[in-house]
Amino acid sequence: MGGGGGGGHDPFDIFSSFFGGGGSSRGGRRQRRGEDVVHPLKVSLEDLYLGTSKKLSLSRNVLCSKCSGKGSKSGASMKCAGCQGTGMKVSIRHLGPSMIQQMQHPCNECKGTGETINDKDRCPQCKGEKVVQEKKVLEVHVEKGMQNSQKITFPGEADEAPDTVTGDIVFVLQQKEHPKFKRKSEDLFVEHTLSLTEALCGFQFVLTHLDGRQLLIKSNPGEVVKPDSFKAINDEGMPIYQRPFMKGKLYIHFTVEFPETLTPDQVKGLEAVLPAKPSSQLTDMELDECEETTLHDVNMEEENRRKQQQQQQEAYDEDDDMPGGAQRVQCAQQ
């Protein structure tokens, strides 16, 4: 890295330090940073709620211990004749009259190292490759409250290479879908269906939480639960990352299941206990003059899909009917 005394500065060192890339040397080689190795790590919602540890076995390249990453028995190497020791080659492509494209790529003779090793001098352990494979077990600690896509980094544990700052191994958490709970930040959501009787007269049910605890969920006396309503329980959501004693909320989304039909006796019974129906403001004569209609069941998702397809078809038909000249004018304007 920097050499002897004297007041002069190596122009390459000045250029390198100005533009980054660290660890320059007088041979024209800079110590580059190795690539990070990224692995997805699948975790359950229970893992993120309780925290967990996972041991993972990985293979990586490490500098050969026999030759200290030199690749040769003597530690010597020769400048590559193919790239003159730069590690890079330049190729020129002719794109047309007076037009060329200059492309730089790693030298294939020395694999971008800028040096070659005599066959007889090659290290017997790494065969001149300078690195050997090693198996390593990493223990990944998933902390309570960690999020989907959060990264856990092991600095300097990626592949080693000569004259290279070793990159990191990065695990990216991928949360598996849970059959019961949905997570939004530090809050949990769960769906629950009530019968009409439960919605009107009260309900009680047991919910098994992510840590196995049994939560008793019940309505207040005289409380009526409306369809599509939410109730919340404080401090029963996800632990907050790095503050595990604080938790979000658990939201329960209620769906109310109505009976398909009622018998005449059931209707009379309900009318006796429920608030009275609003009386009609119209006289019998006025009602006789009204036109009767018929209600039928409809699936709005299917209706919207059908209408969208119909509109797309009409748009295509309009394009087909448009004269070719009009299309050409439109294209020219664009």
Side-chain angles (χ1 to χ4, degrees):
M1 297 257 244
H9 292 284
D10 189 325
F12 180 82
D13 286 344
I14 296 171
F15 178 86
S16 176
S17 63
F18 183 78
F19 285 99
S24 62
S25 66
R26 290 187 178 275
R29 294 195 329 235
R30 285 176 291 166
Q31 196 174 38
R32 63 186 181 86
R33 190 184 188 283
E35 290 185 5
D36 293 340
V37 178
V38 180
H39 293 283
L41 179 62
K42 291 190 180 294
V43 288
S44 66
L45 193 54
E46 285 87 350
D47 291 335
L48 298 175
Y49 185 87
L50 296 166
T52 188
S53 291
K54 293 178 182 286
K55 288 186 177 179
L56 300 164
S57 177
L58 302 170
S59 292
R60 68 173 192 143
N61 291 334
V62 294
L63 293 178
C64 176
S65 56
K66 194 170 185 68
C67 65
S68 302
K70 300 293 184 185
S72 61
K73 289 182 277 190
S74 65
S77 60
M78 300 179 292
K79 185 194 287 186
C80 173
C83 63
Q84 303 304 312
T86 63
M88 304 297 286
K89 279 188 175 182
V90 175
S91 59
I92 295 173
R93 278 181 62 194
H94 290 274
L95 302 177
S98 305
M99 286 182 68
I100 61 168
Q101 183 183 38
Q102 189 169 292
M103 297 168 65
Q104 199 175 38
H105 54 84
C107 174
N108 55 358
E109 293 178 39
C110 64
K111 298 179 182 176
T113 62
E115 57 190 33
T116 55
I117 298 164
N118 189 300
D119 287 345
K120 293 180 180 177
D121 195 27
R122 287 183 187 275
C123 170
Q125 184 166 299
C126 66
K127 308 291 190 289
E129 294 293 324
K130 303 181 182 180
V131 293
V132 293
Q133 278 223 326
E134 173 193 77
K135 279 202 169 181
K136 185 158 189 175
V137 175
L138 294 177
E139 188 167 3
V140 185
H141 296 285
V142 180
E143 294 182 48
K144 291 180 180 182
M146 280 187 158
Q147 301 273 355
N148 183 47
S149 299
Q150 191 164 342
K151 294 175 180 176
I152 300 172
T153 303
F154 288 79
E157 293 288 355
D159 291 327
E160 293 181 358
D163 301 314
T164 301
V165 177
T166 308
D168 305 334
I169 288 183
V170 182
F171 292 97
V172 182
L173 298 181
Q174 290 186 351
Q175 183 201 309
K176 293 181 279 191
E177 194 169 336
H178 196 274
K180 185 189 297 179
F181 293 95
K182 295 280 183 286
R183 180 186 185 178
K184 289 183 183 176
S185 189
E186 57 264 5
D187 296 323
L188 288 171
F189 289 76
V190 68
E191 302 282 333
H192 188 77
T193 301
L194 297 173
S195 67
L196 182 57
T197 307
E198 288 177 307
L200 295 174
C201 307
F203 65 84
Q204 177 175 300
F205 66 93
V206 173
L207 177 67
T208 304
H209 211 318
L210 292 166
D211 56 359
R213 285 179 300 126
Q214 304 283 306
L215 303 183
L216 180 62
I217 317 288
K218 59 181 181 178
S219 56
N220 296 318
E223 180 184 16
V224 173
V225 179
K226 295 176 182 177
D228 202 28
S229 62
F230 286 86
K231 302 281 183 187
I233 304 172
N234 292 336
D235 303 318
E236 285 296 350
M238 291 294 291
I240 295 172
Y241 177 54
Q242 294 185 333
R243 288 183 290 168
F245 296 107
M246 296 179 68
K247 292 180 182 176
K249 294 182 179 182
L250 170 61
Y251 290 94
I252 304 172
H253 180 219
F254 288 101
T255 303
V256 178
E257 212 167 49
F258 283 75
E260 294 294 329
T261 57
L262 294 172
T263 64
D265 288 342
Q266 287 173 325
V267 171
K268 283 180 182 178
L270 287 171
E271 285 178 334
V273 294
L274 292 175
K277 290 190 288 186
S279 58
S280 174
Q281 302 295 318
L282 299 174
T283 64
D284 289 344
M285 189 178 291
E286 286 171 326
L287 286 171
D288 287 339
E289 291 176 0
C290 293
E291 289 185 30
E292 279 202 27
T293 58
T294 304
L295 290 172
H296 61 275
D297 293 329
V298 65
N299 184 324
M300 284 310 297
E301 284 186 9
E302 287 182 9
E303 287 282 303
N304 291 332
R305 198 180 301 119
R306 183 180 58 78
K307 285 181 180 177
Q308 196 173 8
Q309 289 173 347
Q310 188 178 342
Q311 287 169 353
Q312 287 174 347
Q313 187 59 48
E314 286 172 358
Y316 290 141
D317 292 344
E318 283 179 15
D319 288 343
D320 291 341
D321 294 341
M322 188 180 290
Q327 284 183 338
R328 281 195 294 274
V329 170
Q330 190 181 24
C331 292
Q333 288 174 343
Q334 289 175 349

